[in-house]
Amino acid sequence: MPQSTAIIGGGAAGFFLAITLRELCPDMHVCILERQRRVLAKVEITGGGRCNCTNTFQSGLDLQHIYPRGHRQLKGWLREFSHHDAYEWFEHRGVPLVAQPDGCVFPQAQDSHAIINLFLRECRRLGVEIRTGIDAFDETKVDLSTYDNVCICTGGLHGQVLSKFNEWGLQVVSPIPSLFTFNIADPELTALMGTVVEDAVCSLPGTKLHAQGPLLITHWGMSGPSILKLSSRGARILAECQYKHPLSVNWTGGCTTDEVLDALQRCMAQQGAKLIDNVRPYNLQNRLWDYLLTKLSLRGRRCSELGRKQLNRLAETLTHDTYDITGRSHYKEEFVTCGGISLSAIDRRTLRYTSPHHAPIKNLYFAGEVLDIDGITGGYNLQAAWTTATIVARGIKCQLSE
């Protein structure tokens, strides 16, 4: 009798797993169980509605800086299903992709529905059953013990799912938010909302954590890729201090204080008679430059009037400008969670749960964000979903052959 597999969660990992599993095991009955009435709702809004479905991984960053949690395990799994494989997977099924200069990869149509429609079409072609509006963890509605395999792809842990995992006694790393923006209670700074610095380096003083990239000043504080990357890398530290922590910003894109001081000295010597207000180093926007000069009481001064002490203070501010984070704000696409099923509790070859537990399921697998894996912004989290879903599908296939 053919085996059956229930996939709990109709999101990115769930659909990719269902399609891959049916292709590997054509006789298997595969059913997606989604609590909401709509499937793939988060995929629809990712990448600003364009679906940043993977990344070229050409940033030069080490994998541990891309995936603050799970990079060791992903290093091996990505050899089995990499970003190159994902690129080929989508294009082979009729969704051409395009890579941006920053490494982010989108459907050529620049529309997440290109991915959604592909998933739905492939599921229809392969005969994957999709049931929506059903709570798979409600024993009165679904008897999971009737399935040969149960794969949980529910995304970030919260609410009922977390309660059920605790009830089953599963090994869970406490979930907290990742990918969020910073509240900063500085009215003069937030008055600059809309200002963008294309290349800033943000760091958490007292730690080795830093991130580089565009920074956006908002009406609540700071956002942009550099802040989101830093929030991901510092998720645990920031949660422990209740999102109150100093923040250091290098507005120059990574130059050292000595390098900036040398550049300022040359600039001031050349521009001697000019007001410093009209000299904007490192292409800083006028409003931000005026704000920084105001903080240092330097506005209205001529370049020739600035002494060594003033230039030192200015160089220090440009490279180590310090603010106080007073809380976190939601990012418009914030649905990434730090934490989840402990990677030490699963078989790394198959992602099958192996630690003792009380779940009424013999073959229990996990894929996607429900695992204690999360990455920075840029398509990396969806790549982790495609990769872990593939590992699970192949693991179930191998189990059939044993």
Side-chain angles (χ1 to χ4, degrees):
M1 183 176 178
Q3 280 203 2
S4 62
T5 296
I7 297 174
I8 303 177
F15 268 81
F16 204 88
L17 171 54
I19 294 166
T20 305
L21 186 56
R22 277 287 292 168
E23 289 180 336
L24 291 175
C25 308
D27 295 330
M28 181 173 288
H29 174 244
V30 177
C31 178
I32 294 175
L33 304 172
E34 168 57 47
R35 186 179 182 187
Q36 303 301 322
R37 292 291 177 185
R38 292 176 60 230
V39 294
L40 299 164
K42 291 179 180 178
V43 172
E44 186 174 29
I45 64 172
T46 189
R50 297 184 295 144
C51 192
N52 184 185
C53 57
T54 187
N55 194 284
T56 63
F57 285 75
Q58 293 177 348
S59 64
L61 291 174
D62 188 88
L63 207 61
Q64 66 179 325
H65 293 125
I66 294 173
Y67 294 102
R69 271 72 51 182
H71 64 275
R72 290 185 181 86
Q73 292 81 355
L74 270 172
K75 187 175 183 178
W77 295 334
L78 284 167
R79 293 193 192 102
E80 297 193 42
F81 192 86
S82 69
H83 59 288
H84 297 297
D85 297 318
Y87 207 108
E88 181 180 348
W89 193 95
F90 285 104
E91 292 216 318
H92 179 71
R93 289 163 177 78
V95 177
L97 304 179
V98 60
Q100 294 185 165
D102 62 1
C104 295
V105 176
F106 295 87
Q108 193 175 78
Q110 299 292 306
D111 187 346
S112 61
H113 289 94
I115 303 293
I116 292 171
N117 293 339
L118 165 64
F119 284 162
L120 295 174
R121 182 173 67 248
E122 288 294 279
C123 282
R124 284 194 298 269
R125 178 179 70 84
L126 295 166
V128 173
E129 182 184 2
I130 301 173
R131 299 173 63 188
T132 59
I134 184 164
D135 182 357
F137 294 114
D138 184 344
E139 291 86 352
T140 66
K141 303 287 177 57
V142 179
D143 184 0
L144 294 177
S145 65
T146 62
Y147 292 92
D148 297 289
N149 311 290
V150 173
C151 307
I152 299 184
C153 307
T154 51
L157 280 188
H158 54 82
Q160 184 196 31
V161 178
L162 181 58
S163 297
K164 180 58 69 173
F165 286 2
N166 289 333
E167 176 188 325
W168 286 352
L170 304 187
Q171 289 188 31
V172 174
V173 178
S174 178
I176 58 171
S178 183
L179 292 185
F180 49 85
T181 61
F182 297 161
N183 292 342
I184 297 174
D186 181 342
E188 286 74 27
L189 175 74
T190 55
L192 305 178
M193 60 181 180
T195 298
V196 176
V197 177
E198 292 297 337
D199 190 18
V201 178
C202 302
S203 59
L204 298 178
T207 77
K208 296 181 179 180
L209 301 175
H210 65 276
Q212 185 167 4
L215 182 150
L216 169 67
I217 299 174
T218 68
H219 66 272
W220 63 83
M222 292 185 185
S223 183
S226 61
I227 295 295
L228 294 172
K229 291 175 188 175
L230 186 60
S231 76
S232 176
R233 293 168 184 162
R236 289 284 172 198
I237 291 173
L238 292 167
E240 288 169 4
C241 66
Q242 299 182 322
Y243 305 99
K244 298 185 189 318
H245 197 284
L247 169 71
S248 178
V249 179
N250 184 326
W251 299 107
T252 72
C255 295
T256 67
T257 304
D258 287 342
E259 289 171 339
V260 172
L261 180 58
D262 287 343
L264 287 175
Q265 287 174 327
R266 291 194 302 271
C267 180
M268 296 305 121
Q270 293 169 0
Q271 306 290 340
K274 278 189 177 182
L275 292 177
I276 192 171
D277 309 46
N278 300 325
V279 177
R280 292 187 301 113
Y282 303 99
N283 295 316
L284 296 178
Q285 291 189 23
N286 285 328
R287 291 196 302 160
L288 176 59
W289 181 236
D290 289 345
Y291 164 76
L292 296 175
L293 293 178
T294 299
K295 284 209 303 183
L296 298 172
S297 302
L298 293 178
R299 288 195 68 184
R301 304 280 294 274
R302 296 194 182 278
C303 295
S304 59
E305 297 173 353
L306 299 184
R308 178 82 181 197
K309 183 177 180 180
Q310 287 88 357
L311 290 179
N312 278 333
R313 289 172 54 218
L314 182 54
E316 183 68 22
T317 298
L318 286 171
T319 54
H320 298 95
D321 199 12
T322 304
Y323 299 87
D324 288 322
I325 301 170
T326 57
R328 70 176 182 89
S329 296
H330 289 284
Y331 177 47
K332 63 181 179 179
E333 296 169 10
E334 182 193 336
F335 49 84
V336 175
T337 302
C338 163
I341 291 294
S342 172
L343 299 183
S344 65
I346 61 171
D347 182 336
R348 296 187 184 183
R349 298 168 303 163
T350 64
L351 276 65
R352 178 174 175 265
Y353 195 83
T354 55
S355 291
H357 61 92
H358 307 295
I361 305 142
K362 179 182 178 182
N363 296 314
L364 182 62
Y365 298 83
F366 295 89
E369 192 191 342
V370 71
L371 292 162
D372 184 24
I373 297 173
D374 65 285
I376 60 176
T377 185
Y380 298 111
N381 287 294
L382 280 181
Q383 178 60 50
W386 317 141
T387 295
T388 54
T390 300
I391 299 296
V392 170
R394 291 175 180 173
I396 294 174
K397 168 69 172 177
C398 287
Q399 172 197 300
L400 287 176
S401 337
E402 292 176 354

